Amino acid sequence: MKFKNKLFVAGASIAFSGILAFANPTEASAAEWTARTADEVKLDIKENESGSKYTFVWGDTLSVIAQATEISLDKLVEVNNISNADMIIVGNSIRLSSDNKVVTVGEGEEQKSYDVSSEEEIVEVETPVEYYEEEVVVEEPVVEEVAPAQEVSSAGYQMTVEATAYSTNQPSLSDYTYTGINLRQNPNVVAVDPSVIPLGSTVIIPGYGAFVAGDTGSAIIGNRIDIHITDLNAAWAFGRQGMTVTVLPPQ
């Protein structure tokens, strides 16, 4: 994504409109959106020797982020070349130097840094080396491999999978799965590749319990599962995890 998107598509008045932008922006009702507080944002700011980093989540507003990072709203708008203050993008990040004088936005080659310490103007400066090196990632071809299942008993078996999560509360998603399960009534559903885990199987996920294999997805191929989690914040926070699950075949 070219960094005209940067970490904000816009800014502060989202708390009143109840609309948040995703990587593929869609509309969400105000009833599904709850503004986070500055204290909540502060708890999620990750600090290290070079400064701090914050990644935007559902419920953030630009004004609250400005309050939590102690950078003025106007300066945050300016460094991101924002022409309209209404929305921010979940998943993008902002970095602050240890003295809060330098703000860095963007990722990899698209990073830009600005000195915001002046009362009068913002000056673009060289991105700190530690930020640049942290984000340089050498991409390698991804080869999907189906790991062999580990038999544990005649009733089921264990297998290693890569897991992500989704929520029916994402505005773009339906309440119904591929197999017709209503996620509002039966939320414990996991999307699988039916050629690896048969639909109708019970998948026991460590820390989450038993889920029915009742959904599929275009990106769910091989040893991949996508766990339905009703709470949208928890689904976003789940990220991508490797784990060993137990599969009980359909009865």
Side-chain angles (χ1 to χ4, degrees):
M1 179 184 299
K2 292 296 181 184
F3 208 68
K4 268 283 180 183
N5 285 338
K6 287 201 173 78
L7 65 128
F8 302 104
V9 241
S13 62
I14 183 170
F16 303 100
S17 66
I19 298 175
L20 184 65
F22 294 90
N24 294 310
T26 52
E27 290 190 355
S29 69
E32 297 171 336
W33 186 90
T34 302
R36 279 161 50 90
T37 66
D39 287 338
E40 289 175 318
V41 172
K42 288 178 181 178
L43 288 174
D44 290 339
I45 293 176
K46 297 179 179 179
E47 298 184 358
N48 54 42
E49 293 181 358
S50 60
S52 57
K53 177 180 179 180
Y54 180 67
T55 301
F56 304 115
V57 300
W58 175 265
D60 280 344
T61 65
L62 187 53
S63 58
V64 166
I65 292 167
Q67 182 181 351
T69 59
E70 299 181 355
I71 304 295
S72 77
L73 177 61
D74 290 342
K75 287 180 179 178
L76 288 180
V77 169
E78 184 173 346
V79 300
N80 288 281
N81 193 26
I82 297 168
S83 58
N84 168 339
D86 289 319
M87 293 182 286
I88 59 177
I89 292 183
V90 166
N92 284 344
S93 302
I94 183 173
R95 292 176 177 79
L96 304 175
S97 61
S98 56
D99 58 7
N100 274 24
K101 290 183 178 180
V102 177
V103 175
T104 300
V105 296
E107 305 293 337
E109 297 289 345
E110 300 293 337
Q111 288 186 115
K112 291 184 181 296
S113 296
Y114 302 88
D115 186 332
V116 296
S117 60
S118 171
E119 293 287 339
E120 298 179 356
E121 61 179 352
I122 292 173
V123 179
E124 184 172 349
V125 296
E126 185 174 351
T127 297
V129 174
E130 58 269 24
Y131 289 168
Y132 183 82
E133 291 179 346
E134 176 188 343
E135 297 299 332
V136 174
V137 178
V138 178
E139 294 186 2
E140 297 180 356
V142 177
V143 179
E144 287 284 353
E145 295 183 359
V146 177
Q150 305 168 14
E151 188 168 349
V152 294
S153 72
S154 58
Y157 55 89
Q158 288 185 328
M159 63 187 304
T160 301
V161 299
E162 184 179 35
T164 51
Y166 71 104
S167 171
T168 191
N169 287 319
Q170 292 172 239
S172 59
L173 298 185
S174 167
D175 286 343
Y176 290 88
T177 71
Y178 174 80
T179 59
I181 298 172
N182 185 333
L183 293 171
R184 299 289 180 186
Q185 298 175 356
N186 302 293
N188 279 29
V189 174
V190 61
V192 300
D193 180 343
S195 68
V196 177
I197 299 176
L199 291 171
S201 300
T202 297
V203 181
I204 301 175
I205 301 170
Y208 290 86
F211 286 67
V212 62
D215 206 355
T216 61
S218 59
I220 310 306
I221 300 172
N223 282 48
R224 282 270 286 107
I225 64 173
D226 202 18
I227 305 166
H228 177 256
I229 299 176
T230 302
D231 184 276
L232 186 57
N233 284 333
W236 281 117
F238 185 89
R240 187 179 294 266
Q241 304 181 27
M243 61 175 60
T244 299
V245 300
T246 299
V247 179
L248 305 176
Q251 299 298 315

